């Protein structure tokens, strides 16, 4: 089935890591996997998880102000604690925490009320399930040997129990079926796939189950060969992945809430990440970590608001666009209107004398500063036969510059015709 068109035009999503790990502010699941926190202490956080100020409507309103079109909530991370009242054996927030209620239902309802697409994160792995550490990866690959030695992942004695693994897959499939059947998410964001092979996970059967219940569900690439789009993390790729993709990025350095992590990216840095990502045809999935009570820290909310304000001033360069110029044509990100007749040049640094664009064969009708409408003089210098000259655009006045990044709208005479040759010799 072809990729759902809403995804590629969404541009921005919000990734919400919310779970019991916010009680002590420790890394989600990984803190007990690595031994940073004793397993018993990690699990005692169940007793302190209240969600006492959980307001998914306020979340949704913030995400809309941020300019997001979808969000992804950690319905169940590797620690196995489900945020909904699963009917399967296992840990869940309604039954095992003071929160005492389904947190996924309120989230999905609130997002839909505000016109946002619903994404749910689910980890294939469950490091607390009694049947999970029952088999080993057949070929973990170099540097991944811990997959077959960590006690939460593989059998300690190396002896596999295939019956236990079969029971685990029944549990996983039933939980995924609950998520799809109850909440009808637009997107399922899987994780943990590296711990088993595709055949061990029975990915083909899982994909078939999901799509039989909801054929339009978007699946990420952590469904391995049954995923719809790639999910690089924490760094803009130098070369974009083939096909649809999404950069997963945290506002600070942590996915979940960690009270001592104050290394928040500035609004300007987030604008840079965002424009570089959409300029290469991807989406940005920006991660926030609510406190255990359900409130999003002010430092993170302020940055979402700041990014949203920039997007609001430059929405024509964001929504309804495709990837812009390849590297080397313009020193900064760019996008291209869907009809391929308007280039949007992002100037991350203040232009001094002029902005240069190489390789555009089209005549230019006009150039304007997006947001203020100021028109800029421009001219083409040089060129020979089929090799176009350089388009020089006069720098905007100081009054027309944007605090984070200025965008120039270059209206072309026809669809973009780009030269990428070696020049005439």
């Amino acid at each position: 089935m072809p990729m759902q068109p809403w995804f590629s035009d969404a541009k921005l999503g919000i990734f919400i890591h919310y779970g019991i790990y916010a009680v002590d502010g420790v890394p989600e699941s990984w803190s007990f996997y690595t031994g940073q926190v004793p397993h018993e202490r990690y699990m005692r956080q169940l007793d302190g998880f209240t969600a006492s100020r959980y307001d998914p409507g306020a979340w949704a309103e913030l995400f809309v102000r941020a300019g997001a079109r979808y969000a992804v909530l950690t319905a169940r991370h590797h620690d196995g604690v489900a945020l909904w009242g699963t009917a399967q054996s296992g840990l869940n927030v309604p039954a095992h925490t003071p929160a005492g209620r389904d947190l996924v239902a309120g989230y999905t309802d609130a997002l839909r009320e505000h016109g946002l697409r619903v994404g749910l994160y689910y980890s294939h792995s469950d490091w607390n399930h009694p049947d999970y550490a029952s088999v080993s990866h057949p070929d973990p690959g170099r540097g991944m040997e811990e997959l077959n030695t960590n006690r939460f992942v593989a059998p300690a004695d190396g002896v596999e129990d295939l019956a236990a693994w079969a029971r685990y897959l029944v549990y996983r499939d039933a939980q995924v079926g609950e998520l799809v059947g109850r909440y009808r998410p637009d997107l399922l964001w899987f994780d943990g796939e590296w711990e088993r092979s595709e055949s061990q996970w029975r990915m083909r059967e899982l994909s078939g189950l999901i799509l039989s219940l909801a054929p339009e569900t978007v699946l990420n690439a952590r469904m391995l060969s049954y995923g719809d789009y790639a999910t690089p993390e924490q760094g803009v790729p130098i070369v974009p992945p083939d096909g649809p993709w999404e950069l997963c990025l945290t506002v600070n350095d942590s996915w979940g809430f960690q009270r001592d992590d104050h290394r928040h990216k500035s609004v300007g840095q987030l604008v840079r990440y965002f424009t570089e990502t959409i300029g290469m045809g991807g989406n940005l999935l920006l991660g926030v970590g609510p406190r255990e009570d359900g409130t999003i820290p002010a430092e993170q909310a302020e940055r979402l608001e700041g990014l949203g304000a920039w997007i609001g001033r430059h929405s024509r360069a964001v929504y309804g666009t495709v990837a812009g110029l390849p590297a080397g044509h313009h020193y900064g990100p760019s996008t291209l209107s869907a009809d391929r007749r308007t280039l949007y040049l992002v100037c991350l640094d203040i232009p001094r004398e002029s902005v240069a664009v190489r390789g555009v064969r089209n005549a230019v009708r006009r150039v304007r500063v997006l947001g203020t409408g100021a028109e800029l003089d421009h001219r083409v210098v040089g060129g020979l036969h089929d090799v176009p000259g350089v388009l020089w655009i006069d720098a905007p006045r100081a009054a027309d510059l944007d605090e984070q990044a200025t965008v120039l709208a270059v209206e072309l005479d026809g669809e973009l015709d780009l030269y990428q040759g070696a020049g005439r010799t």
Side-chain angles (χ1 to χ4, degrees), residues 96-400:
H96 297 95
T97 75
R101 63 193 187 282
D102 183 332
L103 303 182
V104 175
Y107 158 85
T108 56
D109 290 345
L111 259 60
R112 290 195 170 107
E113 287 172 8
H114 289 82
L116 298 168
R117 297 280 183 170
V118 172
L120 294 175
Y121 167 112
Y122 183 88
S123 175
H124 293 292
S125 56
D126 181 341
W127 296 335
N128 266 311
H129 195 283
D131 291 324
Y132 184 69
S134 55
V135 297
S136 300
H137 194 297
D139 183 18
R142 186 174 180 180
M144 300 290 283
E145 292 81 4
E146 188 181 359
L147 293 184
N148 288 340
T149 59
N150 188 286
R151 68 187 181 97
F152 297 109
V153 176
D157 57 5
V159 178
E160 296 191 334
D161 184 342
L162 298 181
W165 181 244
R167 289 195 300 269
Y168 178 77
L169 292 179
V170 169
Y171 154 80
R172 180 207 58 180
D173 291 353
Q175 283 200 326
V176 172
E178 287 177 353
L179 291 176
V180 177
R182 293 185 196 179
Y183 308 111
R184 313 296 289 186
D186 300 287
L187 182 152
L188 279 173
W189 209 104
F190 285 95
D191 202 6
E193 82 295 341
W194 62 85
E195 294 192 332
R196 303 285 188 262
S197 69
E198 183 167 303
S199 61
Q200 285 177 315
W201 286 127
R202 293 176 61 85
M203 289 297 196
R204 180 175 63 84
E205 291 82 356
L206 179 59
S207 172
L209 168 67
I210 295 166
L211 298 181
S212 69
L213 295 171
E216 295 185 351
T217 309
V218 175
L219 306 175
N220 72 338
R222 302 179 193 203
M223 281 289 290
L224 299 175
S225 60
Y226 296 91
D228 296 311
Y229 71 94
T231 55
E233 284 189 36
Q234 295 288 46
V236 179
I238 303 302
V239 177
D242 293 333
W245 62 281
E246 166 192 80
L247 171 65
C248 313
L249 182 78
T250 49
V251 170
N252 54 4
D253 288 346
S254 309
W255 292 110
F257 173 71
Q258 294 188 38
R259 61 177 52 85
D260 294 328
D261 184 355
H262 304 295
R263 296 175 295 276
H264 294 88
K265 298 169 182 68
S266 67
V267 173
Q269 288 171 328
L270 293 176
V271 168
R272 179 181 288 267
Y273 277 109
F274 178 65
T275 56
E276 288 176 344
T277 300
I278 67 172
M280 291 194 292
N283 289 353
L284 178 63
L285 186 63
L286 189 57
V288 297
R291 299 180 185 88
E292 70 81 17
D293 66 3
T295 58
I296 294 174
E299 300 92 336
Q300 298 189 1
E302 289 166 4
R303 282 156 176 80
L304 294 189
E305 300 261 13
L307 176 59
W310 185 90
I311 292 173
R313 296 191 296 272
H314 304 93
S315 58
R316 278 181 289 175
V318 175
Y319 308 115
T321 65
V322 296
L325 298 169
H329 291 270
H330 160 62
Y331 291 100
S334 62
T335 59
L336 181 64
S337 61
D339 65 6
R340 303 185 64 81
R341 290 172 177 266
T342 303
L343 264 174
Y344 296 102
L345 308 177
V346 181
C347 301
L348 296 169
D349 300 309
I350 296 174
R352 296 185 179 180
E353 178 184 351
S354 53
V355 175
V357 185
R358 300 188 295 172
V360 175
R361 287 195 177 103
N362 305 73
V364 173
R365 296 175 58 193
R366 65 173 177 169
V367 180
R368 292 173 297 116
V369 179
L370 209 58
T372 70
E375 193 157 341
L376 303 178
D377 289 338
H378 57 89
R379 69 204 64 80
V380 174
V381 177
L384 181 65
H385 300 297
D386 64 329
V387 182
V390 175
L391 170 64
W392 292 94
I393 302 168
D394 287 355
R397 299 173 306 158
D400 293 311

